[in-house]
Amino acid sequence: MARDGIDLSELDEFTDRLIQSSKEAGKAQKKFLRDQGTRLRRKTAQRARAEVPKVRVERPRYVREAGQYHKSIKRGKLHTKNGALRIRVYSGDPIAHLIEDGWTPKARDGSRGAAQDGKSVFEKAFEAFTPGYEKDAEEMIDEMIRKI
């Protein structure tokens, strides 16, 4: 351009790089969340195996196979909530909430047994996983900034 005008070619190039990086950032963010979700699922399943014993429950009309709770821990799909991408780790077992939160057994005659404490497997796994996740997220963000 002329000497008396403003040269915007570098600004145009930077704008093009930003647009391209935003497309790549979306893909990288989804991959990052899937990987982190898988890691959290593994850590949760590992903690569940350590804290919750495999038991076989036999009651009339109800037989619970050993290890069903452990096998039911899964990673969900990516979804958007309040404008943010999210992924969850959950248990599909119908009695997982009893293992997590605890329960008080009750007999048919109305008498109650000793209260069973909840294990809070998912909460403990999440607390242990958080520092590593934050570190990995910072590294991914730094890498994306360097690419721009």
Side-chain angles (χ1 to χ4, degrees), residues 6-78:
I6 300 173
D7 185 16
L8 298 177
S9 62
E10 291 180 10
L11 185 60
D12 288 338
E13 290 174 17
F14 181 70
T15 305
D16 292 339
R17 284 186 291 178
L18 279 177
I19 291 170
Q20 184 63 29
S21 68
S22 69
K23 292 175 185 176
E24 293 173 5
K27 292 177 186 178
Q29 183 182 18
K30 289 178 182 180
K31 183 181 183 318
F32 175 76
L33 284 175
R34 280 190 211 104
D35 291 344
Q36 294 298 314
T38 301
R39 275 191 194 163
L40 180 58
R41 183 195 57 79
R42 282 191 209 125
K43 294 230 184 235
T44 304
Q46 185 180 30
R47 185 172 290 272
R49 285 190 296 274
E51 292 187 16
V52 180
K54 288 185 177 182
V55 294
R56 182 179 173 94
V57 177
E58 293 187 34
R59 294 184 184 147
R61 299 184 323 237
Y62 184 79
V63 175
R64 184 117 187 112
E65 291 299 323
Q68 191 168 354
Y69 171 71
H70 304 284
K71 293 177 186 176
S72 71
I73 297 172
K74 300 175 179 161
R75 182 202 79 192
K77 294 181 179 181
L78 283 173

Side-chain angles (χ1 to χ4, degrees), residues 116-133:
Q116 303 290 324
D117 294 332
K119 302 292 184 185
S120 301
V121 174
F122 284 84
E123 185 177 329
K124 291 176 185 175
F126 175 73
E127 288 172 1
F129 179 75
T130 301
Y133 172 77

